[in-house]
Amino acid sequence: MKIPILDLSPAYRELQADLDAAYRRVMDSGQFLLGRELAAFEEEFARAVGTAHCIGVANGLEALQLVLMARGVGPGDEVIVPAHGYIATWLAVTHTGAMPVPCECDEGTFNLDPARIAALITPRTRAILPIHLYGQCADMAAINLIAVKHGLLVLEDAAQAHGARIQSGAAGSLGNAAGFSFYPSKNLGAFADAGAITTNDGDLAGKLRALRNYGSRERYHHEALGLNSRLDELSAAALRVKLPALAAWNARRSVLASRYRAQLAKVGDLILPFVPAASEPVWHLFVVRTTHRTALQQHLTAQGIGTQIHYPIPPHLSGAYGHPTSGAKRWRRGDFPIAEKLADEVLSLPIGPHHTAEQIDTVCGAVRSFFNQR
């Protein structure tokens, strides 16, 4: 049995009639940017997240970058970011001219550890940028308390957390603003790069609508140095079709995650994801940890089981941030030992709304057989 880590084609087949109709609707309209589909999706996604505003943009990285730009974050400023996560979060800060300041993560949840934030705050700190990593919300109550005390912007990176919740609400509604990615493999994915920003701040939303469109609210009148970062009509139309399916797809992921957690408890040195009591993750990824990662991955590959490492190189050790032109501090191995340990041990197992219970059982059996042989 070949088991890919994720197969995107079944989602199209499930919704094919509606997706094809949406494509034809856009093509027949002759309108491909900043049109009716985008306006409708922005309204529908804002309602789903629980915010007053949604601004569609070209991708998740620029969603974060645009919020920082709109709030005036730039050269000389600092933004606190997780040490463990995808580099796009850091790049959004760097592209404004500000400095990413890494904060270690909680080893259980993989998310930003609020207990470590206060020690990193300086007079130059302007924002905290937590990631809801792997589909589980960061500890936003604790992060918001710190931000309010120090007058800081809280910008959620919700790229992996469409539909995730904690007691205070849904991902995307828990800070001053949030950036989403609709990259095809996300829980809510388009068929190309796409993104959005959610916020309850009407003034911020107005600035963002201008900044995504060359800094222009009125054609040929440019009030700011903006970007070309617009969510196109085809992507918006596809996302409108997929959005009503998101809750059911997330529920399927949750069932599969429970299957993993039941069958892989106390297997070898395998560490399973920790879920706090108030958290409702959406299992964008099912990430385990083991000191035998390379051997386990090879064992699973030999049996036709797809895996992936999210993420093998911490941003602070990447070539991008080791280069003098990055403007960043020259970090070295050992500077963020938890992030480095996670990078050496994490392994993502197959999970998606169209995986079957039988497939997950097969993966679990292969994992158990690996540790039984040791």
Side-chain angles (χ1 to χ4, degrees), residues 41 45 48-51 54 57 59-65 67 82 86 88-90 92 111 128-138 140 143 154-166 169-183 185-189 194-199 246 250 280-285 311:
F41 173 70
F45 192 66
V49 171
T51 56
C54 170
V57 297
N59 55 68
L61 188 158
E62 290 177 355
L64 301 174
Q65 180 182 345
V67 174
Y86 190 51
T89 311
W90 288 43
N111 279 324
I128 306 172
L129 210 174
I131 306 173
H132 301 316
L133 197 64
Y134 305 149
Q136 178 162 261
C137 291
M140 295 302 296
I143 291 170
V154 176
L155 172 56
E156 305 167 66
D157 184 338
Q160 301 183 7
H162 313 76
R165 300 185 65 86
I166 52 177
S173 69
L174 305 171
N176 300 108
F180 284 88
S181 167
F182 303 120
Y183 183 76
S185 65
K186 303 301 186 187
N187 291 43
L188 180 62
I197 301 159
T198 54
T199 184
L246 177 63
N250 284 344
E280 298 177 28
V282 292
W283 301 105
H284 172 61
L285 298 169
Y311 300 95

Side-chain angles (χ1 to χ4, degrees), residues 70-293:
R71 280 300 191 90
V73 175
D77 295 330
E78 297 176 350
V79 177
I80 295 172
V81 296
H84 176 64
Y86 190 51
I87 198 171
T89 311
W90 288 43
L91 292 174
V93 176
T94 302
H95 288 329
T96 68
M99 179 75 70
V101 176
C103 180
E104 284 278 32
C105 297
D106 178 272
E107 284 197 69
T109 65
F110 307 114
N111 279 324
L112 186 68
D113 185 352
R116 299 173 183 268
I117 293 175
L120 302 174
I121 296 173
T122 75
R124 294 181 296 278
T125 307
R126 294 289 306 280
I128 306 172
L129 210 174
I131 306 173
H132 301 316
L133 197 64
Y134 305 149
Q136 178 162 261
C137 291
D139 186 350
M140 295 302 296
I143 291 170
N144 284 328
L145 280 175
I146 297 168
V148 168
K149 179 179 179 180
H150 294 275
L152 303 176
L153 169 74
V154 176
L155 172 56
E156 305 167 66
D157 184 338
Q160 301 183 7
H162 313 76
R165 300 185 65 86
I166 52 177
Q167 280 184 331
S168 52
S173 69
L174 305 171
N176 300 108
F180 284 88
S181 167
F182 303 120
Y183 183 76
S185 65
K186 303 301 186 187
N187 291 43
L188 180 62
F191 296 109
D193 280 315
I197 301 159
T198 54
T199 184
N200 285 313
D201 186 330
D203 179 62
L204 177 62
K207 291 179 180 178
L208 289 165
R209 292 186 191 280
L211 286 172
R212 73 174 175 184
N213 188 39
Y214 301 100
S216 173
R217 300 174 198 250
E218 180 183 352
R219 195 168 191 180
Y220 300 129
H221 293 262
H222 303 277
E223 62 194 60
L225 297 172
L227 303 179
N228 174 15
S229 184
R230 301 172 295 203
L231 178 60
D232 67 89
E233 289 288 283
L234 281 170
S235 293
L239 290 166
R240 291 186 68 199
V241 173
K242 287 187 169 186
L243 181 58
L246 177 63
W249 286 353
N250 284 344
R252 294 180 201 171
R253 289 174 180 266
S254 182
V255 169
L256 299 180
S258 295
R259 208 168 187 92
Y260 270 133
R261 288 159 63 82
Q263 295 188 45
L264 295 181
K266 300 180 181 178
V267 172
D269 74 342
L270 200 69
I271 300 174
L272 301 181
F274 170 73
V275 180
S279 181
E280 298 177 28
V282 292
W283 301 105
H284 172 61
L285 298 169
F286 191 87
V287 180
V288 298
R289 290 173 54 196
T290 173
T291 57
H292 305 291
R293 182 182 66 193

